[in-house]
Amino acid sequence: MSVCGPVQIEITRELVSKIEDHKRFRALDVGGGSGRLSVNLLLQNYSKVDILEPCSVGLDKAKQAMVAHQYCGNFYQAKMEQFKWTFSYSAIFMVWCAGYLDRPQLVAFLR
């Protein structure tokens, strides 16, 4: 099953477009892997896109895919529990990685 394939990206695009008064300044792709969601959706919809990914291989692929794009932001290699918030985000996208945290850990991360 494709976690972030064309159908899932289109569904997400539709959901984002329906949010009234949604600010589109900076987005964070948590567990961004190779950057597929960022490249195919977020870079077209936000002024800046950052990726948080614990795996160096995935992060390197994301950098290769995104670095030439004008809206490419920062790349962070860290686990969610270790992430240091530098910016406020208009949107935070988490595909599978939220399932790795229990409820108190997820709430702590998002605060």
Side-chain angles (χ1 to χ4, degrees):
M1 179 173 124
S2 176
V3 175
C4 190
V7 172
Q8 291 80 9
I9 289 172
E10 189 54 38
I11 289 168
T12 306
R13 186 183 324 276
E14 281 184 44
L15 289 171
V16 169
S17 71
K18 291 179 181 179
I19 302 171
E20 292 184 30
D21 298 326
H22 179 59
K23 305 296 185 241
R24 295 174 189 264
F25 300 117
R26 189 174 210 114
L28 177 64
D29 187 356
V30 180
S34 64
R36 190 176 321 147
L37 179 68
S38 290
V39 168
N40 293 302
L41 175 69
L42 303 182
L43 289 170
Q44 289 86 35
N45 289 282
Y46 294 90
S47 298
K48 202 58 89 174
V49 176
D50 297 341
I51 288 189
L52 169 61
E53 170 60 42
C55 174
S56 63
V57 173
L59 200 60
D60 288 342
K61 288 180 182 179
K63 286 178 184 178
Q64 290 173 359
M66 292 175 60
V67 76
H69 199 285
Q70 65 179 339
Y71 301 125
C72 177
N74 298 309
F75 298 91
Y76 301 101
Q77 185 178 351
K79 293 181 180 181
M80 288 182 283
E81 304 91 331
Q82 301 163 331
F83 182 62
K84 304 291 186 223
W85 294 88
T86 309
F87 300 100
S88 294
Y89 291 95
S90 301
I92 300 169
F93 290 82
M94 304 170 77
V95 179
W96 282 103
C97 58
Y100 290 101
L101 301 176
D102 61 26
R103 179 179 229 122
Q105 289 172 320
L106 181 60
V107 170
F109 170 72
L110 293 172
R111 283 196 174 148

